[in-house]
Each structure stands twice: as C-alpha cells, then as structure tokens.
Amino acid sequence: QVQVVEFGGGLVQPGGSLRLSCAASPIIFGIDTVGWYRQAPGKQRELVADITSGGAANYADSVKGRFTISRDSAKNSVSLQMNSLKPEDTAVYYCKYQVLRKAYWGQGTQVTVSE
C-alpha cells in the first residue's frame, strides 16, 4: 500500500516563505510526474506545479516566479519552495504521484497566509 505524506504547511504572513515536502512510501518506481495541487474553500482543486521524471517543471501562472518545485529522486521526494506568499495562496496543498494511469494522493497540508 503506497502512502504519500506532505510536510511543511502552516501559518505565514504575507510576503513570507514556506517549504512543502512530499514523500512516498514505499519507494515508487516508474514515476511520470509529481505535482502539487491546492484547494481553497469553495473552489476546485487546481494544479500549482508539477515536475516530470526528466526534471521538466510546469507552473500555474499565478505562482510563476514565486514558487519552485524540485525533486530528489534518490529519496523519492518532491519539494515546493513558496516565496512572496499572498493571502490568495491560502489553501490545502496536496501532492500527487502519477505512474501511468495510477495516481497516488496525499492527505494534504494546510497553508494559511494571513496577518
């Protein structure tokens, strides 16, 4: 049974930074992409950023220049560095490992950007 766990959420002031991490256990082989998604209250879940097995990254327009996704293949983990956070970044952030047609989701971690 694969488990995906996210770490690093919390409360931060506008303009601040947070780093989210995501890991899968046991190690997953043949990963296509790993992505970070978020869902704010009353809104649909949306893609924030994802990264392919080859290291190509893709970002939502709303986070370009502020967020950076990276992966550590040896540790089977992915991180999301979030800088210059805004109140509209407040959401539950989810990590997803995609292997062919199979998706493995984490339970999510809350990020709140507020004074």
Side-chain angles (χ1 to χ4, degrees):
Q1 184 79 9
V2 173
Q3 287 191 325
V4 176
V5 181
E6 299 98 341
F7 304 91
L11 172 64
V12 64
Q13 291 184 338
S17 298
L18 278 177
R19 185 176 182 86
L20 305 182
S21 296
C22 169
S25 178
I27 291 178
I28 302 174
F29 296 95
I31 298 170
D32 293 322
T33 61
V34 182
W36 282 98
Y37 293 73
R38 67 187 181 188
Q39 187 166 18
K43 295 187 177 181
Q44 290 189 332
R45 191 173 297 188
E46 62 176 0
L47 174 69
V48 176
D50 61 19
I51 187 165
T52 69
S53 57
N58 173 55
Y59 297 92
D61 287 343
S62 59
V63 306
K64 282 182 181 176
R66 300 188 298 123
F67 291 10
T68 302
I69 189 170
S70 59
R71 65 185 297 171
D72 184 335
S73 297
K75 297 181 180 179
N76 209 206
S77 65
V78 173
S79 296
L80 184 69
Q81 178 66 40
M82 306 186 294
N83 299 326
S84 302
L85 283 160
K86 304 175 181 180
E88 50 264 44
D89 294 318
T90 295
V92 177
Y93 283 69
Y94 299 89
C95 180
K96 183 186 80 170
Y97 283 70
Q98 187 73 39
V99 182
L100 297 177
R101 296 180 183 178
K102 184 74 173 178
Y104 301 93
W105 288 92
Q107 293 299 307
T109 184
Q110 177 70 46
V111 172
T112 302
V113 185
S114 175
E115 297 283 1

